[in-house]
Amino acid sequence: MSWIRARTDEQKETRINEIVSATARLFEDQKFEEITFAAIAREANFTRSNLYKYFGSKEEIFLEFLIHDMMIWGQDLEESLDFNKEWSIPDFADFWVETMLRHQRMLRLLSILNSFLEKNVTYERLLEFKSSLLQGLGSLNSMLQKVFPSLGEEKVTHFINLQSTMSSGLFQM
């Protein structure tokens, strides 16, 4: 690939998407520990030095990758969720698990979030990730309050915290 510097925000976003896509392809067949920064650069047709212009480590790339997958899962959840339905707890639990299982790559990433992904990243990148995560959780909280208005924000937040801990922990097993 003849390298042309990305100058606009749109071009930079395209490059970031290329890097995330290359990482996703590698993650299909390899464990996180087996994937190197150099392998990601090769897969994306970047040099390592050009890859460093966008990310400081493979963990930073994976955090971006996780946010991307969580957004897709959130969209799937919102599109699949019948807001007019009177949900029983067992029916909602089945729906929730089915939706999560459609996004197993996200579950794989969540299962290594604390042990690998939040390490070897800059404070700024971690802050960006946490801000994006909080924004997504806020949207999820609002969505679930529409389904179960009697629960209120605090109980919905508690549910989200419990389910994310349980699903990422159980998925590893």
Side-chain angles (χ1 to χ4, degrees), residues 2-173:
S2 72
W3 191 260
I4 300 170
R5 177 190 279 171
R7 297 190 188 282
T8 66
D9 287 341
E10 185 178 290
Q11 290 170 332
K12 290 175 186 174
E13 190 65 33
T14 298
R15 294 279 165 78
I16 288 169
N17 289 335
E18 290 170 1
I19 295 165
V20 169
S21 295
T23 305
R25 288 191 299 274
L26 292 171
F27 197 57
E28 287 175 14
D29 301 319
Q30 298 177 39
K31 294 179 183 177
F32 170 81
E33 301 85 9
E34 297 168 349
I35 299 170
T36 65
F37 203 69
I40 294 169
R42 266 192 313 277
E43 183 70 26
N45 291 322
F46 281 46
T47 62
R48 280 180 62 188
S49 60
N50 282 329
L51 193 58
Y52 276 114
K53 291 177 182 173
Y54 300 94
F55 296 99
S57 67
K58 78 173 186 179
E59 290 81 2
E60 290 183 2
I61 299 169
F62 273 87
L63 288 178
E64 184 77 26
F65 184 16
L66 176 55
I67 287 295
H68 174 264
D69 277 9
M70 291 178 81
M71 287 174 31
I72 291 171
W73 169 72
Q75 290 168 349
D76 181 18
L77 189 67
E78 187 169 19
E79 290 168 4
S80 303
L81 191 56
D82 183 352
F83 291 98
N84 298 315
K85 180 179 178 176
E86 188 73 30
W87 288 92
S88 70
I89 299 299
D91 286 346
F92 183 78
D94 286 343
F95 166 78
W96 187 265
V97 170
E98 288 170 12
T99 306
M100 294 289 276
L101 289 175
R102 287 197 299 263
H103 300 274
Q104 291 196 19
R105 187 175 68 190
M106 177 189 72
L107 292 171
R108 272 181 76 196
L109 289 167
L110 284 172
S111 73
I112 61 171
L113 177 61
N114 294 16
S115 55
F116 293 107
L117 301 186
E118 291 185 338
K119 312 258 190 278
N120 195 28
V121 296
T122 64
Y123 173 78
E124 293 77 21
R125 188 68 76 165
L126 190 57
L127 187 60
E128 252 177 60
F129 170 74
K130 295 289 186 174
S131 295
S132 295
L133 187 60
L134 282 174
Q135 184 179 2
L137 291 175
S139 297
L140 180 59
N141 192 304
S142 298
M143 193 184 324
L144 294 180
Q145 283 186 61
K146 290 178 188 173
V147 175
F148 297 107
S150 63
L151 288 181
E153 183 177 354
E154 188 174 314
K155 286 185 179 178
V156 170
T157 299
H158 187 67
F159 164 76
I160 292 168
N161 289 336
L162 287 176
Q163 77 73 35
S164 63
T165 302
M166 290 293 291
S167 58
S168 64
L170 290 174
F171 187 77
Q172 292 180 72
M173 299 169 75

